[in-house]
């Protein structure tokens, strides 16, 4: 490789590890090799090898399509629901990562205590906190992919999150370290390699609206924001209800896109919630399927 060293550009011979070369030849021999990139991580330099491959994404009919609706949370890492176009829930999976969250909070508390003693330059403490946070993101992405592979899903549905801007409130530190976009990017790369598609829906009201269509929910029951109370009095997991709504909004959008203009207007007249996508819940999807069957 040619690098700038000793005040000039000069060529250096780089010796590669035999294990790395064998791994590349075994796993990447059918892929197009790109130019390697020299990157610095910490105080060390690494040579990254990138490869490209052509993958055809699966086009499954809407009637037989299975999706994994994912709700990325702050308290819990993620909640996954496997759904069909009829609104049937095939499986529900939760990932909490409580040990990693406790380690991250402990690392942040050490940084906070150091800053209280006017020690603002703490690179080792920050490196530990960022490493734990990255580990949480990697485990969350792998959990989502494993769930999709287990049920042979065709689409993974996320919320269209916008985490830009200044964070406010009591949970602003958790929001600042919340790597939801990084998780979605990792899942997108892994899913495309497997032929799966990625879709995103509007995030408004997914956690605020009950999946059964009863209206807004009440959160923070006895100080626990992981559960909520519906207007009917039912106690339910808030993240699970949100994942139902995320999957339902995807199917409602895809079903309405497949209809003609006249049929779509007739369906929206029978099911008014379909006209306003931000109020779609799981009950809206069930009502839509009933209207189509009629």
């Amino acid at each position: 490789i040619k690098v700038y060293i000793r005040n000039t550009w000069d060529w250096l011979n780089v010796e590669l590890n035999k294990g790395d070369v064998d791994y590349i030849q075994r796993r990447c021999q059918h892929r197009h090799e790109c130019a390697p990139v020299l990157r610095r991580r910490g105080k060390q330099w690494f040579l990254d090898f990138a490869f490209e491959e052509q993958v055809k994404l699966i086009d499954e009919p809407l009637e037989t399509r299975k999706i994994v609706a994912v709700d990325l949370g702050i308290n819990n890492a993620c909640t996954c629901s496997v759904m069909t176009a009829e609104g049937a829930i095939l499986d529900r999976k939760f990932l909490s990562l409580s040990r990693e969250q406790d380690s991250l909070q402990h690392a942040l508390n050490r940084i906070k205590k150091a800053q209280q003693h006017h020690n603002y330059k703490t690179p080792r403490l920050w490196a530990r906190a960022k490493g734990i946070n990255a580990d949480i993101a990697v485990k969350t992405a792998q959990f989502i992919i494993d769930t999709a592979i287990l049920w042979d899903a065709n689409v993974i549905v996320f919320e269209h999150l916008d985490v830009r801007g200044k964070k406010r409130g009591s949970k602003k530190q958790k929001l600042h370290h919340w790597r939801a976009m990084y998780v979605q990017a990792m899942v997108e790369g892994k899913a495309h390699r497997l032929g799966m598609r990625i879709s995103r829906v509007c995030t408004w009201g997914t956690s605020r609206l009950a999946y059964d269509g009863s209206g807004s929910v009440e959160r923070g029951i006895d100080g626990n924001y992981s559960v909520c109370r519906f207007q009917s009095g039912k106690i339910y997991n808030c993240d699970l209800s949100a994942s139902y709504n995320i999957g339902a909004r995807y199917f409602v959008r895809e079903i309405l896109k497949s209809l003609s203009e006249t049929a779509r207007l007739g369906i929206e007249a029978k099911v008014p919630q379909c006209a306003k996508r931000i109020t779609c819940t799981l009950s809206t999807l069930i009502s839509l399927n009933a209207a189509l069957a009629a």
Side-chain angles (χ1 to χ4, degrees), residues 57-82:
L57 301 182
I58 302 173
D59 284 326
E60 188 75 17
L62 186 60
E63 295 78 12
T64 59
R65 191 176 302 175
K66 286 187 291 187
I67 68 169
V68 177
V70 182
D71 178 64
L72 297 175
I74 300 176
N75 298 321
N76 293 326
C78 70
T79 303
C80 301
S81 297
V82 184

Side-chain angles (χ1 to χ4, degrees), residues 62-120:
L62 186 60
E63 295 78 12
T64 59
R65 191 176 302 175
K66 286 187 291 187
I67 68 169
V68 177
V70 182
D71 178 64
L72 297 175
I74 300 176
N75 298 321
N76 293 326
C78 70
T79 303
C80 301
S81 297
V82 184
M83 297 179 57
T84 61
E86 293 80 11
I89 308 299
L90 303 180
D91 194 10
R92 299 176 289 264
K93 287 186 176 296
F94 300 88
L95 181 66
S96 60
L97 296 178
S98 57
R99 179 183 298 177
E100 288 79 359
Q101 292 287 351
D102 290 342
S103 299
L104 177 61
Q105 189 61 41
H106 180 67
L108 294 176
N109 288 337
R110 291 185 63 185
I111 295 173
K112 184 178 179 180
K113 187 175 181 179
Q115 292 176 349
Q116 289 176 352
H117 291 82
H118 306 285
N119 186 9
Y120 298 101

Side-chain angles (χ1 to χ4, degrees), residues 240-251:
L240 187 59
S241 175
S243 67
Y244 292 166
N245 294 335
I246 292 170
R249 288 184 182 183
Y250 168 78
F251 278 121

Side-chain angles (χ1 to χ4, degrees), residues 20 46 85 94 108 151 157 160 165 179 191 210 244 262 264 273 289 291:
D20 297 337
F46 295 87
F94 300 88
L108 294 176
W151 285 95
V157 186
H160 184 74
R179 307 193 67 179
Y244 292 166
T262 305
R264 183 176 62 83
Q273 294 87 354
N289 285 316

Side-chain angles (χ1 to χ4, degrees), residues 163-179:
V163 294
R164 295 173 298 178
K166 188 175 181 180
K167 280 71 174 179
R168 294 177 175 85
S170 59
K171 295 187 178 181
K172 61 181 179 180
Q173 189 180 46
K174 284 189 175 182
L175 284 171
H176 180 74
H177 294 279
W178 188 35
R179 307 193 67 179

Side-chain angles (χ1 to χ4, degrees), residues 130-188:
K130 291 179 180 179
I132 297 173
N133 207 15
D135 181 60
I136 292 174
V138 170
K139 290 180 178 178
T140 303
Q142 190 60 44
F143 178 82
I144 296 171
I145 290 296
D146 291 342
T147 304
I149 294 174
L150 177 64
W151 285 95
D152 196 18
N154 311 112
V155 185
I156 300 176
V157 186
F158 290 103
E159 292 177 301
H160 184 74
L161 298 172
D162 187 6
V163 294
R164 295 173 298 178
K166 188 175 181 180
K167 280 71 174 179
R168 294 177 175 85
S170 59
K171 295 187 178 181
K172 61 181 179 180
Q173 189 180 46
K174 284 189 175 182
L175 284 171
H176 180 74
H177 294 279
W178 188 35
R179 307 193 67 179
M181 304 305 296
Y182 183 51
V183 172
Q184 292 191 14
M186 278 194 295
V187 172
E188 185 173 359

